[in-house]
Amino acid sequence: MEHWDHAVQHLSLDSGLAVLLEKYPERLTATSDAFRTLANAIVGQQISVKAGDAIWNRLQAGLGIQPETLATASLDTLRSFGLSSRKAEYLQGLAQAFLTQKVQPKLWPQRSDEEVIQELISLRGIGRWTAEMLLIFHLNRPDVLPLDDIALVRAAAQHFGWPQDSDASRRLAERAQAWRPWRTVATWILWRTQDQEPVQY
């Protein structure tokens, strides 16, 4: 991500984040393949990072991660790698969207975050969280705060000493106003408190 040092300087004004920025110096880097990023995020929906990685690795080793392959694989084949029936259908739909150019990744760099999100959530199985993972990991947009991400909200509550209740997301959103326009970097650093290895989609 461009201007990482500037982002760190800005976020370090929050003393709670400053500690983490010093502890976790790794930088977020962009993934080169939009399809793989979205497919990985679909696999990881609503399950632990460890479980998602295991399914992803089996799928990658056994079938490969290309639109042509996933679009033509049977649902039984996809389920054999540990995918639910619904996620198998989502992956096939995503593959078809790329093959038919229903989505147009080449245009995304010129579009706003919200325009990209709206294009993606028109696809079955892709909600705002999955689209935000694309913004963070593929497009490296600097100011994304995925409030539907359970791990992020949990990390913030634990680190800042908030109750882990229904208001945790609101507290995070309020504190994060001061982190603009670098909320992606803050998200990345808070994720690091939850996983030994950096998260990557």
Side-chain angles (χ1 to χ4, degrees):
M1 181 185 294
E2 294 183 24
H3 312 302
W4 187 274
D5 291 337
H6 185 70
V8 169
Q9 182 179 13
H10 176 81
L11 294 172
S12 293
L13 296 173
D14 184 315
S15 59
L17 281 183
V19 174
L20 297 181
L21 289 162
E22 185 172 343
K23 183 176 181 179
Y24 301 110
E26 299 94 342
R27 298 186 177 206
L28 175 64
T29 57
T31 59
S32 60
D33 190 313
F35 178 77
R36 289 177 63 89
T37 300
L38 287 168
N40 199 350
I42 288 174
V43 170
Q45 288 173 356
Q46 299 180 326
I47 59 177
S48 70
V49 171
K50 184 177 180 180
D53 285 346
I55 295 171
W56 179 258
N57 290 336
R58 288 196 297 269
L59 182 63
Q60 186 166 237
L63 193 62
I65 314 292
Q66 296 85 30
E68 297 82 2
T69 306
L70 294 179
T72 56
S74 70
L75 291 178
D76 284 342
T77 297
L78 293 175
R79 284 195 296 263
S80 72
F81 298 106
L83 291 163
S84 66
S85 295
R86 185 164 293 178
K87 286 186 181 179
E89 292 172 359
Y90 294 165
L91 286 178
Q92 286 189 331
L94 176 68
Q96 289 290 351
F98 271 74
L99 291 173
T100 62
Q101 297 186 337
K102 183 176 181 180
V103 293
Q104 297 182 297
K106 290 182 179 179
L107 299 180
W108 291 343
Q110 287 75 49
R111 291 179 174 168
S112 69
D113 292 356
E114 195 59 35
E115 286 172 335
V116 175
I117 289 172
Q118 291 304 313
E119 179 176 335
L120 288 172
I121 64 176
S122 69
L123 304 179
R124 185 166 176 256
I126 295 186
R128 191 173 188 88
W129 177 86
T130 304
E132 287 171 336
M133 295 306 102
L134 183 283
L135 292 176
I136 291 172
F137 290 102
H138 178 62
L139 295 176
N140 267 187
R141 294 295 173 86
D143 197 34
V144 182
L145 184 73
L147 290 172
D148 292 330
D149 190 277
I150 296 172
L152 172 63
V153 175
R154 180 175 61 240
Q158 290 175 349
H159 183 67
F160 295 117
W162 303 329
Q164 295 196 35
D165 56 20
S166 59
D167 285 332
S169 292
R170 177 186 56 78
R171 294 188 186 96
L172 173 57
E174 290 175 354
R175 184 160 186 147
Q177 288 299 314
W179 302 343
R180 291 177 178 272
W182 309 110
R183 291 180 298 172
T184 295
V185 179
T187 295
W188 171 254
I189 296 302
L190 285 166
W191 270 334
R192 291 293 287 111
T193 68
Q194 301 294 297
D195 298 291
Q196 291 185 352
E197 296 297 325
V199 175
Q200 187 71 54
Y201 285 109

